[in-house]
Amino acid sequence: MKKKVLLIAAIAAGVFTTSSLQAQDFKPAGGEKNIEVNFAPLGGNPISINNLKFRYFMDSQTALRVGFSVSSSSTTDIQLQGPNQIEVEGTNSSFGFSINPGIEKHFEGTDRLSPYVGAELNFASSSTTQTQESLNGAGDAIAGESEVKDGSTTLGLNLLLGADWYFSKHIYMGTEVGFGFATTSNADTESTPVTGPKVSTPNGSSSNFGPNFNSRIRLGFLF
């Protein structure tokens, strides 16, 4: 809780100690680079780098952008089975990443406010793998390991509407909404049993069209 209070206090201090700067000292003029994270001041994890965004301002009104995220997890479960209490291991692992290149058109706004419209392409991919050891019929040894693989790929396009508010020199908070289309192709589920042939199960695809919204505040700085 103390860290959250200090973070909010630091932002407030930035607002009140930069009132003497000129308008051009706050907003980009062209050539600046930008890194951005997600900010939830009242959440358990105020700063999130799960979805980093980079921007390059070609001039005061045009910015190129790219968002990137990557995630990976792995869990292992060990159980004692059979009359000899043999350790039987199962694992679950997953990996995913996304990349979102785009462009923004900024408008004059006010001295500190920079509203913009834009568009971005979305590409995301994910995969999961589950493995499970099994005992033989007598229950006194490991007979082998089964495996199940799954995954998906998503492609989309978003139209964007957002705004950046520069509360200090080259440091801003912002919000953004989008409206777009995305289609997801689900990979076939590949099941490999301990004995017998591999089985492939098709999963088809899905699509959606409509609004989307990032509930976190965007926090970024220019350099």
Side-chain angles (χ1 to χ4, degrees):
M1 183 65 184
K2 184 178 180 181
K3 291 181 179 179
K4 298 177 187 176
V5 172
L6 292 175
L7 184 59
I8 295 173
I11 292 175
V15 173
F16 291 110
T17 58
T18 57
S19 58
S20 61
L21 295 174
Q22 300 298 315
Q24 62 268 24
D25 293 323
F26 289 93
K27 295 160 65 173
E32 296 91 345
K33 301 176 184 65
N34 165 209
I35 188 171
E36 182 181 294
V37 298
N38 288 320
F39 178 51
L42 301 180
N45 184 22
I47 301 294
S48 172
I49 60 173
N50 288 340
N51 188 12
L52 288 174
K53 188 171 78 177
F54 300 90
R55 291 194 291 190
Y56 172 71
F57 284 86
M58 301 174 67
D59 53 46
S60 62
Q61 294 184 322
T62 307
L64 302 177
R65 59 185 271 169
V66 60
F68 180 79
S69 68
V70 61
S71 63
S72 178
S73 68
S74 180
T75 59
T76 300
D77 178 56
I78 298 177
Q79 299 180 352
L80 298 177
Q81 297 182 8
N84 298 327
Q85 294 293 280
I86 298 173
E87 290 187 351
V88 178
E89 184 176 292
T91 62
N92 290 279
S93 60
S94 65
F95 176 79
F97 77 95
S98 66
I99 187 168
N100 312 94
I103 189 169
E104 298 173 358
K105 175 68 174 180
H106 288 249
F107 302 99
E108 184 174 352
T110 66
D111 289 351
R112 300 194 185 203
L113 184 67
S114 181
Y116 64 87
V117 296
E120 68 174 5
L121 296 173
N122 301 328
F123 175 80
S125 179
S126 65
S127 63
T128 61
T129 302
Q130 298 176 318
T131 61
Q132 181 62 58
E133 293 179 333
S134 298
L135 298 181
N136 60 16
D140 58 3
I142 299 294
E145 181 181 79
S146 61
E147 182 180 72
V148 178
K149 291 186 176 182
D150 216 337
S152 66
T153 301
T154 299
L155 293 172
L157 172 66
N158 270 330
L159 300 179
L160 308 169
L161 176 64
D164 301 330
W165 180 65
Y166 290 81
F167 61 87
S168 186
K169 185 176 181 179
H170 287 186
I171 306 176
Y172 68 87
M173 293 187 295
T175 187
E176 183 179 276
V177 296
F179 191 94
F181 171 81
T183 180
T184 299
S185 298
N186 299 302
D188 295 348
T189 300
E190 302 286 348
S191 302
T192 306
V194 176
T195 59
K198 180 184 294 187
V199 178
S200 181
T201 305
N203 291 312
S205 61
S206 62
S207 61
N208 61 76
F209 180 75
N212 48 76
F213 175 67
N214 181 6
S215 60
R216 288 176 176 260
I217 298 171
R218 296 161 38 250
L219 178 65
F221 64 92
L222 306 177
F223 58 93

